[in-house]
Amino acid sequence: MPKTAFISTAIPYVNARPHIGHALEYVQTDAMARYLRLTGTDCFFLTGSDENSLKNVRAAEEEGVPTQELCDRYTQVFMELLESLNLSNSDFIRTSSDLHIRGAQELWRRCRPEDIYKQHYSGWYCVGCEDFYTEQDFPDKICPDHGTPLELVEEENYFFKLSNYQDALLKLIESGELRIVPATKRNEILSFIKGGLRDFSISRSRKRAGDWGISVPGDDDQVMYVWYDALANYVTALDLSEGSERFRDYWLECPKRIHVIGKGINRFHTVYWPAMLLSAGLPVPTEVFVHGYLTINGQKISKSLGNVIDPIDQVNQFGIDPVRYYLLRAISPTEDGDYSESRFQEVYNADLANNLGNLARRVETIGAKAGHVVRDAPVGDAPEGYHEAMADYRFNDALATLWSLASHLNQRIEEVKPWELAKRGKTDDLAEFLDEMILGLRRIGYWLEPFLPGTAAKLSALFTPGETIERGDPLFPRLG
Ligand SMILES: [Zn+2]
């Protein structure tokens, strides 16, 4: 059996249409999943929707529709986005599904009894963050991320004894058993843990939850805190019931368990979640990759600024692979990055139309004119630095290795001037040169698959061994 891997995106709240930031995380995760498969790993790629959130309840109230109806509607749009980005996800878990509800309750039951206790609680809650704060955190009681007032909540809740896991978590992260990429995010978490871990609330009253959410096993008056419920999705999708092969192959006995997340939810994935798993006697993630946020034309993405870019529109306008390329190449994988249409056009024309697109076009044209038959030869390994970049989630650097190969091939055309070889009747030299160019393009196409699967397929069809080259449509027509 081949090696297995598990990789997931975070599951978004489905209270609105997706924005371009969602597309970034989807495409990054897809590139890694496809890369793992390309290099011989059987990779299970999970994504889904977070439906049991108070945010969804409030959004439904505002629209005057039942919460489930709102979740159904936006889940559908998120699924459309996955398809329009050509994502290769293996499954889609909805936290309103029976499989998830059963699994989340099973996970709760498996936690050590001494880790869960009931206690009277009062705290300041931000619905936007779905998180509690203390008065010391924000003395003016306004959430700085959402700009909304915090709500005072007083009730009896179940708590998780996170403090029991302080040493175990430190050891996991310091030893690299739980690897956090990039190192800056790892260091942030290490100092957070060293600052002392507070137990956290893992339930709320059914009433305050708007009668929405998963019942706490054995206590119908309480529903699970949305984060406890949402984090559980990574294992509930694999089916926690007795004898599940999926769960065995892609979690219990799986050597690579990867979560891809945005920087705002690092703590949930590298502190709360591993502690929950330890308590339930289950293996913890082996890698958490933390990406930055996207701005639009230099501004924070926000509905009130009216600058929300719809990724489905972008794909319809420019094509799947150009959007994937921009997100993976022009955006730093770990720092905040900017999405602007002017930069998009620049990158598209320079890299896609003028470099790779033009290269394929030239080789195709000369090859078709010469009636050249594509020679069968192994494409070879990726250019130097490609695998090292992927090991660190540096998608942009991995792509750069392929683009410097394309630049080199374009340069060879300028040097050798194959059209002159054709004019002077040097058919053997021309054939040899075309073989070199085609092999280079096939090699680029092969290793490009994780990033631009559509382009990889087109290159492979253009230059199929044993077939005579024919001219097709340009890969990337120039914009503007
Ligand atoms: Zn907030």
Side-chain angles (χ1 to χ4, degrees), residues 227-245:
W227 269 106
Y228 186 96
D229 154 358
L231 288 165
N233 92 87
Y234 301 126
V235 292
T236 64
L238 297 172
D239 187 358
L240 280 181
S241 55
E242 197 68 39
S244 156
E245 285 177 15

Side-chain angles (χ1 to χ4, degrees), residues 23-35:
L24 172 70
E25 183 166 307
Y26 286 152
V27 167
Q28 288 180 331
T29 313
D30 189 54
M32 186 52 78
R34 287 176 181 272
Y35 170 73

Side-chain angles (χ1 to χ4, degrees), residues 243-312:
S244 156
E245 285 177 15
R246 236 184 177 192
F247 186 54
R248 181 197 64 200
D249 293 346
Y250 299 108
W251 195 272
L252 286 179
E253 295 176 9
C254 178
K256 250 184 193 300
R257 298 176 293 269
I258 309 168
H259 299 310
V260 175
I261 58 165
K263 62 181 183 176
I265 56 176
N266 189 6
R267 204 177 281 181
F268 290 100
H269 285 80
T270 55
V271 180
Y272 296 2
W273 173 231
M276 286 160 55
L277 288 165
L278 288 172
S279 178
L282 294 173
V284 302
T286 59
E287 283 180 35
V288 176
F289 169 67
V290 188
H291 63 76
Y293 286 156
L294 278 185
T295 54
I296 307 263
N297 302 313
Q299 284 180 311
K300 194 179 160 180
I301 299 177
S302 117
K303 263 193 213 163
S304 50
L305 288 171
N307 67 353
V308 177
I309 285 188
D310 187 326
I312 297 177

Side-chain angles (χ1 to χ4, degrees), residues 67-215:
T67 310
Q68 191 60 60
E69 191 182 313
L70 181 105
C71 289
D72 289 348
R73 186 206 307 160
Y74 288 120
T75 295
Q76 197 53 46
V77 186
F78 274 88
M79 284 174 155
E80 272 166 41
L81 175 60
L82 299 176
E83 209 174 303
S84 81
L85 290 168
N86 194 5
L87 254 65
S88 64
N89 55 302
S90 317
D91 200 2
F92 187 100
I93 180 83
R94 298 184 61 170
T95 60
S96 62
S97 66
D98 289 342
L99 179 68
H100 175 76
I101 295 168
R102 273 202 318 272
Q105 290 175 331
E106 172 67 19
L107 186 70
W108 182 295
R109 276 190 295 261
R110 285 199 201 181
C111 283
R112 300 191 312 165
E114 58 268 41
D115 289 336
I116 295 180
Y117 62 95
K118 208 171 185 184
Q119 185 182 278
H120 183 81
Y121 184 73
S122 86
W124 293 92
Y125 197 71
C126 171
V127 177
C129 300
E130 296 273 16
D131 203 1
F132 281 104
Y133 297 101
T134 63
E135 276 177 66
Q136 287 90 323
D137 291 334
F138 310 125
D140 58 356
K141 302 186 191 74
I142 303 279
C143 171
D145 277 353
H146 293 95
T148 48
L150 302 177
E151 298 170 22
L152 182 65
V153 169
E154 270 188 85
E155 62 187 24
E156 205 169 49
N157 288 161
Y158 289 96
F159 275 73
F160 182 85
K161 209 153 176 38
L162 192 59
S163 46
N164 280 345
Y165 293 94
Q166 174 144 349
D167 294 340
L169 289 169
L170 269 183
K171 201 171 143 242
L172 277 173
I173 297 169
E174 277 175 341
S175 69
E177 253 181 278
L178 166 48
R179 177 179 177 228
I180 304 171
V181 180
T184 48
K185 297 297 174 216
R186 171 182 181 267
N187 296 338
E188 266 174 39
I189 289 299
L190 283 174
S191 53
F192 172 72
I193 298 173
K194 285 174 186 160
L197 295 178
R198 281 190 309 217
D199 296 349
F200 69 106
S201 160
I202 53 171
S203 76
R204 56 186 183 226
S205 74
R206 174 169 294 283
K207 188 166 161 272
R208 188 167 65 83
D211 196 21
W212 187 249
I214 302 178
S215 295

